[in-house]
Amino acid sequence: MKSRWVVTLFLLALAAPLSAQPRVHVEKLADGVWAGAPDKGANVGWFVLGDGVIAVDAGADAATGEAILKAIAESTGGKPVRAVVITHAHGDHAGGARAFAAAGARIICQESIAGQLLALVLQSKGGADDPLTAKPNAKPVVEAISERSIMVDGIHDAQVFFLGAAHSKGDMVVYLVNDKILFIGDLAANGRMPFMQSPDVDPDGWERALAALSHVPVDKMVPGHGQIGPTSGLLESAAYVHAVNQLAHKFVAAGMNDELVGIQVHAPENQIKGLETSEEHVLNVKAAVRVEREKVAKKAATPAPTPATPAKK
Ligand SMILES: [Zn+2]
């Protein structure tokens, strides 16, 4: 009896640290290119550039960020992580940036979210195991890109670009030209409905961003959410965002209030083919209606330009 307890305690002691460490399911996408699906938060990616590594997104929290850094070290033979590109300032993508800063990586984002991201990185969760608390001399710096940045080493040609506000105000994608691999953040998802309820969402801008990306040859896509690899989510997400926008434009033009929108979205003529009208879909439509209403109101409030007086000769 006693020995059984000893064995049980021994197994519990073994299991405790293992369960506390977040896991990252790693997939190799090409030579020197990987993607990972952590237990918590959005998918991430990384690739070798020169003698270091560039990561895309940082996981949901510092512990996940550290687990991603461990997976990066294991897959690349311990190459240093030079930078992490944060696709946007949502916590499930950016929460782990603190661990990357502590590891000495530069933090790169779109300029409209630089302050927001720095605040997120500096926000301490406390605890002796916090990666930045452990390094009091580390002073994180966030670097911002306004529209485009290119990083080349003769093997990988990495293009980071901003296509305008879409899923949020500061979405960036990372495209590896030679490998035709696209890290798309939350602009597209595989097998899931895009999330359109961010307070800074721009549904029309999102449609334009995905239309621009439809011209880019993509063999493998790493979306923030859903399966890593397939590219089908690119067209599916574009079709969904377009359909939601059409509904939002129609509902706002008809002057519907939120209550009516909630009813009308279930009407047969407003159903999206092949899509169940879930609560999530209704919330997406309501969010798109809110933005469209604001745009219409802003347009109405802008005084029409007065015709220029012809110059006297
Ligand atoms: Zn997001």
Side-chain angles (χ1 to χ4, degrees):
M1 189 68 187
K2 198 180 171 190
S3 67
R4 197 190 289 170
W5 272 111
V6 171
V7 170
T8 309
L9 284 173
F10 176 69
L11 288 175
L12 279 174
L14 265 182
L18 282 178
S19 60
Q21 173 76 52
R23 289 164 307 174
V24 182
H25 173 76
V26 177
E27 284 184 43
K28 184 168 183 169
L29 301 180
D31 253 4
V33 187
W34 294 265
D39 283 341
K40 209 162 130 190
N43 295 329
V44 295
W46 59 92
F47 52 93
V48 170
L49 193 78
D51 61 356
V53 176
I54 307 293
V56 183
D57 279 341
D61 50 33
T64 304
E66 289 194 308
I68 296 163
L69 285 164
K70 194 168 153 238
I72 294 176
E74 283 166 5
S75 56
T76 64
K79 285 191 168 39
V81 181
R82 303 280 185 217
V84 56
V85 177
I86 302 294
T87 59
H88 60 296
H90 287 166
D92 54 337
H93 297 253
R98 192 170 168 83
F100 282 77
R106 291 150 53 216
I107 299 168
I108 300 174
C109 68
Q110 208 277 325
E111 66 178 359
S112 64
I113 60 162
Q116 199 182 340
L117 189 58
L118 181 66
L120 197 73
V121 172
L122 295 179
Q123 201 181 347
S124 172
K125 296 281 184 294
D129 56 351
D130 177 81
L132 263 182
T133 309
K135 294 194 173 174
N137 292 328
K139 295 271 179 273
V141 172
V142 169
E143 290 177 32
I145 292 170
S146 78
E147 281 184 357
R148 200 166 188 224
S149 169
I150 293 171
M151 297 181 261
V152 284
D153 69 350
I155 298 166
H156 290 123
D157 178 348
Q159 304 197 344
V160 183
F161 44 97
F162 168 61
L163 295 160
H167 165 76
S168 67
K169 67 179 174 185
D171 298 293
M172 290 207 303
V173 301
V174 180
Y175 179 57
L176 300 181
V177 180
N178 304 333
D179 308 282
K180 297 187 177 67
I181 294 172
L182 179 65
F183 300 93
I184 197 164
D186 281 354
L187 287 186
N190 270 331
R192 292 173 190 217
M193 187 183 288
F195 176 80
M196 301 181 71
Q197 298 154 46
S198 185
D200 53 355
V201 68
D202 183 342
D204 290 329
W206 195 340
E207 201 174 323
R208 285 193 296 273
L210 287 179
L213 285 172
S214 70
H215 299 291
V216 175
V218 182
D219 284 350
K220 287 180 183 168
M221 179 173 84
V222 181
H225 303 278
Q227 206 185 338
I228 290 165
T231 59
S232 50
L234 202 46
L235 274 180
E236 285 164 11
S237 300
Y240 177 75
V241 173
H242 173 70
V244 168
N245 286 348
Q246 278 193 317
L247 284 178
H249 294 173
K250 178 173 139 183
F251 292 164
V252 173
M256 289 184 199
N257 62 18
D258 272 352
E259 198 187 346
L260 205 51
V261 168
I263 296 166
Q264 277 301 313
V265 74
H266 294 278
E269 69 272 23
N270 296 325
Q271 300 284 311
I272 296 174
K273 209 176 156 212
L275 183 96
E276 182 202 337
T277 308
S278 62
E279 187 54 28
E280 195 62 16
H281 169 61
V282 175
L283 291 172
N284 278 346
V285 173
K286 283 185 172 171
V289 163
R290 170 185 60 79
V291 177
E292 176 63 11
R293 254 192 222 127
E294 283 166 10
K295 276 188 187 167
V296 170
K298 208 168 162 189
K299 220 171 169 182
T302 313
T306 42
T309 341
K312 281 181 187 151
K313 287 186 183 161

